[in-house]
Amino acid sequence: MAAIFFHHVVGDLTVGKPEIVELSDADTLEDAARAIAGSPEGAVPVWRARAAPEEPPSGTRFLGMISAVDIAAFIATAGTGDQAMRTAVGEVVQHNPELLREVDPGTRLIDALELMRHGVKRFLVRKNGSWRGLTKRFSMLYNGKWLKNSESGSPSSASSSSRQLSPFISSAVRFCCLSREDILRFLIGCLGALAPIPLSQICSLGAINPQYCHVEASAPAMEAIQKIPRDPCGVAVVETTPDGVRKIIGDISAYKLWKCDYVAAAWALANLSAGQFVIGADENGSTPISAFLEPSVSSSVMDEAEPGRSPRLLKKFSSRSIGFLNSHANQMRSMYRGRSAPLTCRNTSSLAAVMAQMLSHRATHVWVTDAEAEEEGVLVGVVGYTDIFGAVTRE
């Protein structure tokens, strides 16, 4: 196993990380949507409201995580549109305190990876000290400049045993949140130290998870929402051939709904098939949703609009990656445009390539297709964060 997992600690990864901004259970879904748009993985932690303004963040106040899928699914079920966006986050978030762990800055990276392999998605870390022996490479990666390091020339500075927390630089206790994306970004910066694992094929590393969730393109989109697992938070939309081969045409996930118009997405979840939902109509979101509805559907929606107000469906859908199209399944694959296509790799792809894909797209997973299949898009599994962490730490 690579020595970097033993010679680095969680405190090293907090350099340059901003102080945590809490989303309270009393905040609205509108507040959650804004927080999700600026966060990794399409989800944010939710906390109980502080008893006092000066109370520091604490793992005991953590409730769970709310994702883009949770918001869209709730609005689709409630059917109240903009009014639902004013619902308190505490009424929607699923309580799961195990998703966040408060850890000491001196926690070894290998121990942190083990926790994330078992379901932890965030670390709450104190930021009030600076770490001795901090590597220059990692300092520059986060801060954009070399950090002063009085012990950089000391032979013992590279040893994890010599790392001690310096005295607090301020009386206020400050914390930051580390995500799995932060861990993956660190691993990308250490590819040489991880050799030869990063250049190995994911199929040889056992990094492909064949137990993925899927739904047929002809099924209702809400059926896909009900199937979505917590990790990775996504379900593949497939077409199954007569001989049982599944071909992926898209996916419904927190990553795909990351910066969408939740009210428009909720309507689509409630009324369209999974195949219709995942088709990218316009890469820039510049085409009105009504353009993709049959005249009868469009007119019925206009009739239901509130007096004196434009129908909600006539606004432009501003999703980062999804548009809507009322089309037959055999036309879907030819209609892909840019970001609407599912993020895929081949089972012969290298682990480094998959890691780079996830970081560049800020995705939580990559769907894996069969490189030896005669047709494109034959689905064989999925690679997520836990699969990557398991591959790089496996003996």
Side-chain angles (χ1 to χ4, degrees):
M1 190 180 298
I4 60 168
F5 297 132
F6 300 93
H7 293 167
H8 281 273
V9 293
V10 170
D12 291 342
L13 278 68
T14 64
V15 178
K17 289 289 292 181
E19 190 173 347
I20 186 173
V21 178
E22 295 186 10
L23 178 70
S24 166
D25 57 351
D27 291 328
T28 65
L29 293 185
E30 290 179 341
D31 299 322
R34 284 191 291 269
I36 287 172
S39 72
E41 304 184 33
V44 291
V46 179
W47 312 80
R48 285 193 187 91
R50 301 185 184 194
E54 65 277 6
E55 183 181 358
S58 169
T60 59
R61 290 198 295 108
F62 173 74
L63 295 177
M65 297 188 68
I66 187 168
S67 71
V69 168
D70 296 326
I71 296 178
F74 173 78
I75 299 173
T77 304
T80 53
D82 289 327
Q83 181 180 347
M85 290 296 288
R86 293 188 286 273
T87 303
V89 171
E91 298 181 25
V92 180
V93 64
Q94 297 183 27
H95 290 209
N96 190 350
E98 299 301 318
L99 296 180
L100 179 138
R101 183 71 59 88
E102 185 175 352
V103 298
D104 188 89
T107 303
R108 296 185 307 171
L109 186 57
I110 184 63
D111 299 323
L113 284 170
E114 188 65 19
L115 288 172
M116 285 192 162
R117 285 180 58 193
H118 288 85
V120 176
K121 292 187 177 182
R122 292 286 197 282
F123 289 133
L124 181 65
V125 189
R126 188 175 63 248
K127 280 180 61 71
N128 287 73
S130 59
W131 284 93
R132 299 172 183 174
L134 193 65
T135 61
K136 281 189 174 182
R137 175 176 56 187
F138 201 71
S139 302
M140 187 176 68
L141 177 65
Y142 272 92
N143 243 17
K145 60 181 179 181
W146 299 119
L147 295 183
K148 293 182 180 180
N149 189 351
S150 59
E151 294 187 1
S152 59
S154 172
S156 62
S157 63
S159 172
S160 61
S161 61
S162 68
R163 298 172 189 266
Q164 296 179 357
L165 194 62
S166 300
F168 286 166
I169 58 176
S170 68
S171 58
V173 181
R174 295 179 292 116
F175 288 83
C176 70
C177 241
L178 285 182
S179 68
R180 297 181 297 180
E181 185 184 84
D182 295 317
I183 304 290
L184 188 62
R185 187 178 292 110
F186 172 77
L187 296 180
I188 282 284
C190 303
L191 292 182
L194 295 174
I197 293 175
L199 296 182
S200 302
Q201 297 180 353
I202 54 176
C203 58
S204 66
L205 295 173
I208 303 174
N209 180 6
Q211 305 300 321
Y212 59 88
C213 288
H214 68 279
V215 66
E216 288 293 328
S218 58
M222 280 301 291
E223 180 179 321
I225 289 293
Q226 294 163 2
K227 283 189 173 184
I228 289 183
R230 303 311 298 176
D231 188 40
C233 188
V235 59
V237 179
V238 302
E239 289 178 335
T240 305
T241 62
D243 55 356
V245 175
R246 299 187 188 120
K247 298 179 183 178
I248 185 169
I249 66 169
D251 80 329
I252 300 176
S253 62
Y255 143 66
K256 284 290 188 179
L257 290 170
W258 188 28
K259 295 181 180 180
C260 73
D261 180 327
Y262 290 102
V263 176
W267 183 92
L269 285 173
N271 293 276
L272 301 182
S273 70
Q276 291 170 332
F277 186 86
V278 299
I279 294 303
D282 189 289
E283 207 172 326
N284 298 316
S286 60
T287 310
I289 295 175
S290 57
F292 304 107
L293 302 177
E294 295 178 354
S296 59
V297 176
S298 181
S299 61
S300 65
V301 171
M302 293 181 68
D303 292 340
E304 295 174 0
E306 297 177 13
R309 182 178 175 183
S310 298
R312 178 71 186 183
L313 285 178
L314 295 184
K315 80 181 296 297
K316 295 178 180 179
F317 185 72
S318 58
S319 170
R320 174 174 178 263
S321 53
I322 300 176
F324 307 114
L325 179 68
N326 195 355
S327 172
H328 296 295
N330 60 0
Q331 297 175 313
M332 289 180 178
R333 203 168 289 106
S334 64
M335 297 300 296
Y336 281 147
R337 291 187 179 94
R339 292 172 176 164
S340 61
L343 187 62
T344 62
C345 67
R346 294 178 179 269
N347 53 357
T348 54
S349 298
S350 68
L351 183 65
V354 176
M355 292 164 66
Q357 268 186 293
M358 289 178 62
L359 280 182
S360 62
H361 291 270
R362 303 203 75 179
T364 57
H365 56 278
V366 179
W367 301 102
V368 185
T369 60
D370 190 350
E372 298 180 355
E374 296 181 359
E375 300 184 47
E376 292 286 335
V378 176
L379 189 61
V380 295
V382 65
V383 176
Y385 282 113
T386 54
D387 304 305
I388 292 176
F389 296 157
V392 297
T393 57
R394 191 172 294 121
E395 291 288 355

